[in-house]
Structure formats: C-alpha cells, structure tokens
Amino acid sequence: MAYAEIVEQYPDIVEQDPETVKHDLFTDAMEGNWENVVDMYTKYPWARNAKLTRSGETALHIAVIERKEDTVKRLVESVDEEISPLMETNNRGNTPLHLAASIGNTAMCECMCISKQLSSRELEQLLGHRNTAGETPLFLAALRGQKNAFHYLVEMCGSIGTAYEYARRADGETILHVAISGEYFDLAYDIIARYHKLIYSVNENGDTPLHVLASKTAVFTTTLHLSPFSRFIYHCCLHVKKLTDDKPDSYSMAMSIKRKRRPEKFRYNNNNKKSIQFFQSLLKMLKKMTTIPVSIITSGKHMEANKTTNAKDLEYGKGVTALNPGNGSRNEKVMIIKFISRSAMWFGRVLVWFRLKKFMEKLRKLRTRKEKNIWSLEIMKLLLELSPSQKYDSSGGYNPRPTSSMPDGTDDFHNCLPEMWETEQRRETPILLAAKNGITEMVMEILDVFPTAILDRDSANKNIVHLAVENRRTQLYEELVRNLRFYESAFRDVDNNGNSVLHLAATLGDHRLFPIATLQMQWEIKWFKYVKESVPRDFFLDRNDQNKTPKEVFRESHEGLVKQAGKWLAGTSNSCSVVATLVTTVAFATTATVPGGMKGDSGIPNLERHPGFKVFAISSLVALSCSITSVIAFLSILTSRYDQEDFRRDLPKKLLVALTTLFMSLAAMLVCFCAAHFFLVMDESKHTAYLVGYAIACLPVAYFAMMQFPFYYDLIIQSFTKFTGGKPLKKGPG
C-alpha cells in the first residue's frame, strides 16, 4: 500500500511514518512481543495487510507459523468485519488459513472460519483460495497428512457444497493422490469413505491413486527384510489395529480427535501371551536399570562436600601408616577397587540406557513399518473393490490432458475421462507398474479381482511376466509359475522385438542385487537357469527378431559384468594371498620353535606334558596347513580362465575355500601366540588378567571376521543353494 493511499484512507495517522510502523511490527513479531503486535493491529488498520518479510508474510502469517493460537485469535478478532487480512497472501500465494492447515492446527482454522461470522460467499472465498500451485487449504492439510485439520475443513467445505471442487490442484493431483503418496493411509481411508469417486481421478500424467500406490514399493511386505530378532518383534509383539470407517459427523468429533492421548509405542498381540509376558518383564527390568544412573550422577554432587572429610581421613591414614604400614596400602587398594567398580557400574548402566533408548526407537520404527504394511494392503483392496472392471481398464491406458477443476460431486466423476484423452500413447496400467516394482500382493490381488488384467501390455508390448523377469522380481515370478495353468498365454508371449521371457532373463539390466560383481554374475547365471527350467521348453521361442538365441543374448549382455567380476576376483586374490603367505612364513617358523627347550639331547620337550604345549603344537600345525591351503586356493583363482560358466560354481567355491582357510589360519596363529606367551607368565599367581589381555589381542581378527560375515554368509548361500532371491549387501572384502 503506497504512502499516499495510506494518508488518503487514514488521515488521522499522518504523523506516523508507515515504514516505521512496519519496522516496529516486524521487530515485535520476531521478538515475540505479541501484545504490541495486537495493539498495533488495532491502532493501525492499514498495518494488517503489511508485508513484513521478504517472503511476503504479514504479522498474522508469522503468528500462525509460530503456532501462537491465542495471538492468532486476538489478531483475527481485531480485524472487525474485514476479510482482506485473512485473504492476504505471501509470495507462494498462501493465506494464513493455508499455513494453519499445513501445520494441522485445528484451533487456528476454526478461529479464521467461524469466529468472524463470515457469510457463505466470504467463507467460500476463504476456503477456495488457491496458492501459486493451485492448492486450497483442504488440499494442503491432506498433503501434509494433518488428519484433524482435514476433518474440520471437510466439514466447513461440506457446509457450502464445494468439497469436491477444492480437492484437486492445478496438475490434476487430488487429495487421495497426495495422501497415498505421503503414505498417510489412515487419512486416505477417510478420503475414500467420503469421496469414493476420487478413486477414478487421474492427474496430468494419467496416474490414478492405484498407480500411486503401485509405485510405493517400500510400504509392502515384499521389501521387508528383517533380522531374526526384529522378525520376532514384528510378528509376535506388535499389534496394529486395522483401519475402520470412523468418519467424523461434526466438528466436535474433529476436536475430540485433537485431544487424543499420546500414542502408545507399541501394542501386543493377545495370541502370543507367553512371549508378550516375557517381553514385558524384560522391558520393566531394563527401565528400572535406566533409573540407577540418575542416582549415581546426583550422588556426584556430594563429592565436593566430602573432600574435607577425605583429607582428614588421609591425614589420619598417614598416622596409622606410621604405626602399621601394611594397613595404609590396604586402604588405598580398597579405595581404588571401589572407585573402579563404581565407575564400571556407572559406565555399564549408562551404556544399557543408551542401548535401551536405541531399542525403543527401533521398536517405534518397526511399528510404523507394520502399520504401513497392513494399511497399504487395506487401501489397495478397497481401491480394487470400488473399481468396476470397465473403469479399471480405462483408468490407465493413455495420457490425459491436464485439468485443474473437479466435476460436480453429484455427477458421475468417471464420465469426464473419455473427453480428456489427448494422445494414443500407451502407458503402464497399475498391474504393470506393480509387476515392474515387484509388489506381489498387488499383482495377485488385481488378477483375482480383474482376471483380464493379464492381457495388459506396456508400450514395448511386455506383460507382467516379462516385466517380472526383466526386473528380477523373483517372488512375483515364482508366484506366477505356481499358477502357470492360468497364465500360460502370458508365458508364451513375446515383446515388440520378439524377445521371449527367457530372452529377457538373459538380458542384463540395471537391477543389481549385490554390489560385488562376482556374486552378481553367479546370481545372474542361476536366475537364467531357473527361468529356463521353470516352465516346459516349448513355451519359449528359440530366436528373437535379431535371430539370437537366449544363450547368445546372455553371453553378449554379460561380457562387461564378467570382466568386472574377474578383475575383482584377481584383486582380492592378490591381496589375500599376500596375507596368507605371511601367515605361512610365521607359522613355519613357529613350528620349528619349541617353548621351554629340550631335555638334553633326548629331543623331548621340557613342557611335553603341559596342556598349553599341546595347544601350541596343534594350533601352529593348523595355522601352517590352513595358510598353505589358502595360498594354493588363491593361486588357483588367479590362474583360472574366468569363463562365464566358471562363475556359477567353480570360482565361488574356490573363493569360499580360500577365505575359510585364511580365517582359520589367522585364528590358529592367535591361539598359538597366546599359548606360547602363557609359558612366560604361568608362574604368576593371577592368570585372569592375562586371559583378558589375550581376549583383547583377538579383537582385531574378530572385528575383521564380523565385518566380512555378511559377504561370507551370502557367498555360502549362493554357492550351496539352487536358487535364492538374495538381497543387497552392505560390504564386501577388499
């Protein structure tokens, strides 16, 4: 607002510079002096629309962002009958109501919508205002997953009959699209219950809500990989309530949801009482342990007060020591032992506290994961149940033109779709997208509800079997093979290039299960063999349009991977063979050395009958033999041809033997060292301290073995099993 306009509209404040008022208003808002802000809102009406920040926020915007509910209410009440301050937007086109909806503050939304007794037209103008992205406050509440604010705004929009109109933004995304995309499945369930016609809606890319759900691979159990302990917690100790249709009947219900109690960290399954009782008792014990460090820490406050007493005790101890020297040294030892024991106890309990905190965080994540797994399945089944077959078929084949408005809720929402088709470009249907992402649950559910979906093809004329094989979706392919008699035609089909399912299995794509090329190559060979043997041979054509057989396609497409695998094997074998040779040298020198010497010229060791000598002799022999075996195994890898077929069994088994014997030789060398060193200190009275030292000396090898265990485990599984889907590794040797 220009200065001349301000003077003309408000002549009684000419003596006050508007820029000074804006500066004071901004300063008070930033410093939290909201009383001054309210006074200035009342004193200077023009300041209610003043932009205070670079992003265009007014004082009311700032109060909403700071979540000052009382201040927002007073600022709104000070506006009198004006609606312009409520309609003032920032640089992104957001009104204060937009911001209140996005942060989920229902009280602020209520304050702006009903405290001023707005007319129906003004309320429609406030609720229907769109920002620069075409988003209404209702849409923003769904986008941010703010369920309470969404319920309230739904009631307000419903009162003027414009809820459907405000449920979509400029790019065609609806509130159901963004709720599923944000993984707010409880909110998505409420939206489907209220606006079931939104399940047919498409955005400018032609995506329905089912398309969006088919792209959310992480929310389905297909991608669930848990450790045994986490799996036990997931299945036995966490109970997630299924979604129910709890649509709020009025604003009072929305407000009652706002005052909900704090969510529980986890719930228990009544079907597993014994495991649950054990788990509860374990948690109680750990919680009791966590309260002890507090008392220990607070007891440290009295250390300063005890310094004087300790000084006196020391002076007294000096006098006593003069009479009895042994007594003083005993007292010092007792004090040192007490200090060490208390420090160790404190450190141990603090460590338990941190571990418990980490465990509770992991438990919370597991519960959230289980909620998404269960609720996503419910949303998927609900979307399919409410979709007639003809509407499913027409909801995902072509790209529609962008649309920014919704049809009237009283009309059939899907009737507008045929008018929106712009091109004849084929696109992926939900089942094709789910097959590409490996969501087995969705693919099988769609086939169960709509059997004709087996005929769906993408732009390259690939069906779900082609996509499952091409993208290495092992679980989905195995499920389709089990139902081969129902989907036989899909297995026999070819794509636009004449590639059969076996040709696609032979093609190396971008999908990688392992970061190590050797394991990936081994898995690719086993995958190709599995697909080849999974169905009768006559299902697959011998040659594609390029006149190539699947075997020829496999050899050509995997040449680069074979080179990478061979290079990695050669580098690893070179590095490990150096270590194995060093261990062989040390082990050979150790076998020629006898601890304790010989009995004269008899050649009999002096410590022949000592148990430690037998441990020394056996461990040195094991270290020598294992290290030599490891060197030979690594040399056999270095001299191999690195042919494609060698990566199936020959090279991985050689690598497994070489690594196993290398680990055994290192462990045997440590045992040999500890046994030899024991003879040097065996006359000492305290053997426990030395045993602790030996255990510490073994930590480096133990740490190395622990770091390599994931790779070693997968190498064993891939070498001795017929076929496994596998999962990505975090680390490998080298």
Side-chain angles (χ1 to χ4, degrees):
M1 185 178 294
Y3 180 73
E5 296 178 358
I6 296 174
V7 172
E8 183 179 355
Q9 187 173 357
Y10 305 101
D12 54 335
I13 59 164
V14 175
E15 68 278 1
Q16 185 67 37
D17 183 15
E19 293 300 326
T20 303
V21 175
K22 289 175 61 176
H23 179 270
D24 294 341
L25 191 62
F26 174 77
T27 303
D28 290 333
M30 291 295 101
E31 295 178 354
N33 300 323
W34 295 108
E35 290 291 338
N36 296 341
V37 173
V38 174
D39 292 341
M40 295 178 73
Y41 249 51
T42 305
K43 185 176 181 181
Y44 307 109
W46 61 267
R48 300 165 186 171
N49 299 333
K51 304 291 183 69
L52 305 180
T53 64
R54 292 182 178 179
S55 54
E57 276 85 10
T58 65
L60 185 56
H61 283 91
I62 298 174
V64 172
I65 296 173
E66 295 292 331
R67 301 173 187 266
K68 303 294 183 180
E69 294 184 7
D70 295 336
T71 303
V72 170
K73 184 177 181 180
R74 294 176 62 186
L75 290 176
V76 172
E77 291 175 348
S78 66
V79 175
D80 300 328
E81 298 300 326
E82 281 189 82
I83 191 177
S84 59
L86 299 180
M87 297 299 299
E88 196 66 41
T89 62
N90 58 15
N91 294 347
R92 294 185 177 181
N94 290 320
T95 65
L97 184 60
H98 280 87
L99 299 181
S102 64
I103 65 177
N105 196 306
T106 312
M108 292 183 185
C109 295
E110 177 193 10
C111 171
M112 298 177 197
C113 292
I114 65 176
S115 63
K116 290 184 58 57
Q117 300 296 326
L118 300 176
S119 64
S120 298
R121 182 179 178 182
E122 291 175 335
L123 183 60
E124 182 178 354
Q125 185 181 2
L126 180 63
L127 294 172
H129 185 83
R130 297 180 181 273
N131 58 18
T132 55
E135 299 164 339
T136 62
L138 176 69
F139 190 94
L140 273 182
L143 180 65
R144 302 285 185 249
Q146 304 296 347
K147 189 175 180 180
N148 301 332
F150 176 81
H151 283 161
Y152 172 72
L153 292 174
V154 164
E155 295 298 329
M156 298 305 298
C157 293
S159 64
I160 55 179
T162 54
Y164 266 104
E165 182 181 350
Y166 299 155
R168 182 172 235 162
R169 71 180 173 195
D171 60 356
E173 295 276 331
T174 67
I175 54 178
L176 185 56
H177 283 86
V178 296
I180 295 177
S181 179
E183 300 177 5
Y184 308 120
F185 295 117
D186 52 345
L187 179 59
Y189 190 90
D190 293 341
I191 293 173
I192 296 173
R194 288 179 177 272
Y195 313 114
H196 62 275
K197 294 179 182 179
L198 289 179
I199 65 176
Y200 315 129
S201 58
V202 293
N203 58 18
E204 62 182 7
N205 296 321
D207 293 331
T208 65
L210 194 58
H211 282 87
V212 178
L213 187 60
S215 64
K216 308 297 292 185
T217 310
V219 302
F220 291 92
T221 55
T222 305
T223 58
L224 188 64
H225 298 292
L226 300 175
S227 63
F229 179 72
S230 298
R231 195 179 302 114
F232 168 76
I233 299 297
Y234 182 89
H235 292 289
C236 299
C237 303
L238 295 176
H239 174 66
V240 175
K241 186 179 179 181
K242 292 186 177 182
L243 295 172
T244 56
D245 189 4
D246 54 349
K247 296 182 295 182
D249 294 331
S250 62
Y251 170 63
S252 60
M253 179 170 290
M255 292 303 293
S256 67
I257 297 175
K258 178 186 175 184
R259 302 184 181 93
K260 62 182 179 181
R261 60 175 183 270
R262 293 182 60 185
E264 300 177 5
K265 293 286 184 181
F266 48 87
R267 296 182 182 179
Y268 302 103
N269 192 341
N270 295 327
N271 298 327
N272 303 277
K273 291 185 178 180
K274 292 185 178 180
S275 60
I276 294 169
Q277 291 174 357
F278 166 77
F279 194 69
Q280 287 177 333
S281 60
L282 178 63
L283 284 178
K284 289 180 180 179
M285 180 185 69
L286 292 176
K287 286 181 180 179
K288 289 182 179 179
M289 293 178 67
T290 58
T291 59
I292 297 178
V294 179
S295 61
I296 295 176
I297 295 173
T298 53
S299 63
K301 297 179 180 179
H302 304 289
M303 293 181 64
E304 295 293 334
N306 293 337
K307 284 185 178 180
T308 306
T309 306
N310 292 338
K312 293 180 180 179
D313 291 342
L314 289 174
E315 292 178 0
Y316 175 75
K318 291 180 180 179
V320 175
T321 304
L323 300 175
N324 189 0
N327 193 23
S329 61
R330 240 187 342 265
N331 290 336
E332 291 179 358
K333 288 183 179 180
V334 170
M335 292 177 63
I336 293 173
I337 291 172
K338 286 183 178 181
F339 174 77
I340 294 175
S341 62
R342 289 177 180 176
S343 300
M345 184 181 299
W346 181 86
F347 177 77
R349 288 170 177 171
V350 169
L351 183 62
V352 169
W353 184 82
F354 280 109
R355 294 296 298 176
L356 179 60
K357 183 179 179 181
K358 186 176 180 181
F359 171 74
M360 298 299 291
E361 179 66 19
K362 183 177 182 180
L363 205 62
R364 184 190 65 80
K365 291 181 179 179
L366 278 177
R367 175 176 173 78
T368 303
R369 179 66 186 269
K370 189 170 184 178
E371 284 180 346
K372 291 181 179 180
N373 293 154
I374 294 178
W375 293 352
S376 62
L377 287 177
E378 292 188 77
I379 294 297
M380 176 194 70
K381 293 179 180 179
L382 190 59
L383 290 174
L384 293 175
E385 289 174 0
L386 296 177
S387 299
S389 177
Q390 66 275 13
K391 293 186 178 180
Y392 167 80
D393 294 338
S394 62
S395 65
Y398 304 91
N399 289 327
R401 292 193 301 268
T403 179
S404 60
S405 62
M406 293 280 291
D408 189 6
T410 59
D411 298 331
D412 188 356
F413 180 79
H414 193 69
N415 288 338
C416 68
L417 291 179
E419 301 175 359
M420 293 192 293
W421 303 137
E422 183 182 34
T423 67
E424 294 297 321
Q425 181 183 358
R426 302 259 322 258
R427 65 179 311 279
E428 293 177 335
T429 58
I431 192 172
L432 295 177
L433 187 59
K436 187 176 181 179
N437 293 324
I439 306 177
T440 307
E441 304 97 314
M442 179 174 289
V443 172
M444 302 312 296
E445 187 69 23
I446 292 177
L447 290 176
D448 185 50
V449 179
F450 308 117
T452 56
I454 193 66
L455 303 175
D456 287 0
R457 303 288 187 274
D458 64 1
S459 58
N461 202 37
K462 295 176 182 177
N463 58 33
I464 59 173
V465 181
H466 293 124
L467 293 174
V469 172
E470 184 180 31
N471 293 279
R472 305 314 192 242
R473 303 305 181 182
T474 57
Q475 294 183 15
L476 175 58
Y477 183 76
E478 290 172 353
E479 189 66 30
L480 293 173
V481 169
R482 294 191 190 99
N483 299 275
L484 180 62
R485 64 183 184 275
F486 301 111
Y487 314 128
E488 179 178 338
S489 61
F491 281 83
R492 294 180 180 272
D493 284 343
V494 295
D495 63 7
N496 289 339
N497 296 320
N499 292 316
S500 66
V501 173
L502 192 57
H503 284 89
L504 295 175
T507 304
L508 179 64
D510 298 330
H511 188 68
R512 292 290 186 273
L513 285 173
F514 301 98
I516 300 173
T518 302
L519 290 181
Q520 182 65 34
M521 185 63 199
Q522 183 187 22
W523 190 92
E524 290 286 337
I525 296 173
K526 297 176 70 173
W527 171 244
F528 178 73
K529 297 289 185 182
Y530 173 76
V531 174
K532 183 178 180 180
E533 298 170 358
S534 61
V535 295
R537 184 68 186 88
D538 62 320
F539 273 46
F540 305 135
L541 296 178
D542 289 335
R543 296 183 180 276
N544 58 14
D545 292 348
Q546 286 77 35
N547 199 29
K548 294 180 181 179
T549 63
K551 188 69 175 178
E552 293 172 348
V553 173
F554 184 89
R555 183 170 294 277
E556 292 179 4
S557 64
H558 287 78
E559 286 181 357
L561 185 61
V562 169
K563 291 180 181 179
Q564 294 178 16
K567 184 179 179 180
W568 182 88
L569 270 179
T572 302
S573 299
N574 275 323
S575 302
C576 294
S577 59
V578 173
V579 179
T581 303
L582 180 62
V583 175
T584 302
T585 305
V586 177
F588 182 80
T590 304
T591 55
T593 305
V594 180
M598 300 290 186
K599 294 180 180 179
D601 298 332
S602 61
I604 300 175
N606 292 325
L607 302 174
E608 177 187 12
R609 298 185 180 278
H610 197 282
F613 183 80
K614 295 181 179 179
V615 173
F616 170 82
I618 295 173
S619 60
S620 62
L621 180 62
V622 171
L624 180 62
S625 60
C626 288
S627 59
I628 293 176
T629 305
S630 180
V631 171
I632 295 174
F634 282 122
L635 288 176
S636 66
I637 293 175
L638 290 172
T639 56
S640 296
R641 299 176 302 164
Y642 299 113
D643 187 63
Q644 287 188 357
E645 192 62 30
D646 293 339
F647 285 94
R648 184 183 182 188
R649 290 182 179 176
D650 185 39
L651 290 175
K653 286 187 177 180
K654 287 181 180 179
L655 180 62
L656 183 62
V657 171
L659 290 176
T660 302
T661 52
L662 178 60
F663 290 154
M664 292 178 63
S665 64
L666 290 173
M669 277 298 301
L670 279 177
V671 174
C672 182
F673 162 76
C674 294
H677 189 269
F678 180 76
F679 293 120
L680 301 177
V681 297
M682 63 179 181
D683 294 333
E684 296 288 337
S685 58
K686 297 180 180 180
H687 295 162
T688 305
Y690 295 103
L691 292 177
V692 174
Y694 297 151
I696 294 175
C698 295
L699 285 180
V701 175
Y703 177 77
F704 175 76
M706 184 174 60
M707 291 295 100
Q708 303 305 321
F709 180 75
F711 165 76
Y712 189 73
Y713 172 79
D714 279 274
L715 183 61
I716 293 175
I717 295 299
Q718 292 295 325
S719 300
F720 293 100
T721 57
K722 185 176 181 181
F723 174 76
T724 178
K727 64 179 180 178
L729 295 177
K730 293 183 179 179
K731 292 185 180 180

